[in-house]
Amino acid sequence: FNVVRCNGATIVIDYGHNVSALEALLQAFAAIPHERRVIVYTAAGDRRDRDILDQAALIADSFDHWVLYEDACTRGRADGEIIALMRQGIAQGKRLRSTEETRGELNAIDKALAALQPGDLILIQADQVE
């Protein structure tokens, strides 16, 4: 993953789109000092429902704030279906204090960066790498 420091916060940019990748990132985060964890994340539509639910539950157990988004690349799923599954998974977590939903990856990133606070550790799950 890539790490950027900005105004007292740490921003991690990664392409992890599954539970194993999230677990590895969380292990690394244990070594990064922070006060609050924020994530910008969506699930790929071609994953099994169970995989999407598991990703959401892990995020809800590991982060304080989530900017949850859906974009035009839902990989065959109906509009809103990914967010609905993620919301079901969120209910299984215990740490997450707040979420906000939006449309589009870049819009979600803008929202997270606009709310950036010193001491934040932000994970941006990048899809539009270029």
Side-chain angles (χ1 to χ4, degrees):
F1 56 79
N2 295 293
V3 178
V4 178
R5 305 225 189 266
C6 179
N7 297 329
T10 303
I11 303 166
V12 174
I13 304 163
D14 190 74
Y15 188 70
H17 283 78
N18 58 56
V19 170
S20 296
L22 284 169
E23 289 173 339
L25 285 164
L26 291 167
Q27 287 179 3
F29 288 177
I32 301 173
H34 62 279
E35 296 172 26
R36 180 175 79 132
R37 286 185 187 169
V38 177
I39 188 167
V40 177
Y41 196 90
T42 194
D46 58 357
R47 302 298 193 262
R48 296 175 302 183
D49 288 0
R50 179 79 257 155
D51 295 334
I52 294 172
L53 292 167
D54 289 348
Q55 288 173 65
L58 179 58
I59 289 168
D61 266 343
S62 306
F63 290 85
D64 301 298
H65 180 72
W66 186 351
V67 182
L68 172 59
Y69 71 93
E70 191 171 276
D71 57 23
C73 187
T74 57
R75 298 183 186 178
R77 291 199 183 250
D79 190 46
E81 187 177 349
I82 293 169
I83 293 227
L85 281 168
M86 294 296 248
R87 282 246 165 243
Q88 288 177 36
I90 286 171
Q92 300 170 29
K94 294 178 178 58
R95 178 174 175 166
L96 192 67
R97 287 184 260 150
S98 60
T99 61
E100 60 184 300
E101 295 177 14
T102 191
R103 297 286 303 176
E105 177 185 357
L106 298 179
N107 189 39
I109 292 168
D110 285 345
K111 284 183 175 294
L113 294 179
L116 186 73
Q117 300 174 19
D120 280 355
L121 173 57
I122 299 179
L123 171 58
I124 297 174
Q125 172 220 30
D127 192 40
Q128 297 181 43
V129 177
E130 64 281 344

